[in-house]
Amino acid sequence: MYSDKVMEHFQNPRNVGEIEDADGVGTVGNPTCGDLMTIYIKVKDNIIEDIKFKTFGCGAAIATSSMVTEMAMGKTLDEAMEITRNDVAENLEGLPPVKMHCSNLAADALHAAIDNYREKKGEKVEGTHICSTCG
Ligand code: FES
């Protein structure tokens, strides 16, 4: 049912865990099955220099998490934002149709982590602005 690549990533997932001082964190849930995935990123000079994941889900969800972290590592934030659900599935040499929804979690969690990083950065910039009213 699963490709060798899916089985390999499921049995030997890359980048499992949590980054304590992550620059961005994204969590998404799958309403169909109730599974949850969190992705943590460290960003330097606009590049994802470290990425980890925690997934409470099926084997396909674990394999897609592992794959998306491999695909995003070392990429710029814009490049990582372009990784689609289909890219993840294709890199795993396909997923059974009934499991395609599992790959949604991985790409969505990655994008959520990047959004979170950008939001935090935005807040930081705002927090240091000099208000023309109060100086
Ligand atoms: Fe829930 Fe795959 S069955 S993510």
Side-chain angles (χ1 to χ4, degrees):
M1 177 172 163
Y2 289 118
S3 71
D4 290 348
K5 199 107 182 219
V6 171
M7 289 309 292
E8 206 266 307
H9 274 266
F10 169 55
Q11 285 165 345
N12 180 26
R14 330 294 199 262
N15 307 309
V16 181
E18 193 176 328
I19 300 176
E20 294 263 325
D21 56 343
D23 296 320
V25 180
T27 299
V28 293
N30 187 327
T32 315
C33 60
D35 291 345
L36 268 183
M37 182 184 299
T38 301
I39 286 195
Y40 307 83
I41 54 171
K42 280 299 274 182
V43 180
K44 193 171 177 204
D45 298 333
N46 217 35
I47 287 175
I48 297 179
E49 64 163 9
D50 197 13
I51 178 164
K52 291 203 185 299
F53 79 89
K54 272 206 208 155
T55 292
F56 302 95
C58 67
I62 290 167
T64 54
S65 318
S66 169
M67 177 51 79
V68 88
T69 60
E70 278 212 321
M71 290 168 74
M73 184 85 81
K75 289 222 166 45
T76 66
L77 296 177
D78 285 344
E79 285 167 346
M81 278 307 265
E82 281 171 18
I83 296 173
T84 65
R85 300 162 173 186
N86 278 343
D87 293 337
V88 178
E90 269 171 31
N91 273 273
L92 284 168
E93 295 165 358
L95 281 167
V98 69
K99 288 287 174 185
M100 273 307 285
H101 74 274
C102 310
S103 67
N104 298 356
L105 280 186
D108 290 355
L110 170 66
H111 299 164
I114 295 170
D115 283 345
N116 175 248
Y117 166 75
R118 287 180 162 159
E119 272 166 28
K120 283 208 251 179
K121 219 174 133 209
E123 276 172 24
K124 213 166 150 194
V125 173
E126 241 172 47
T128 55
H129 88 288
I130 296 176
C131 173
S132 56
T133 312
C134 60

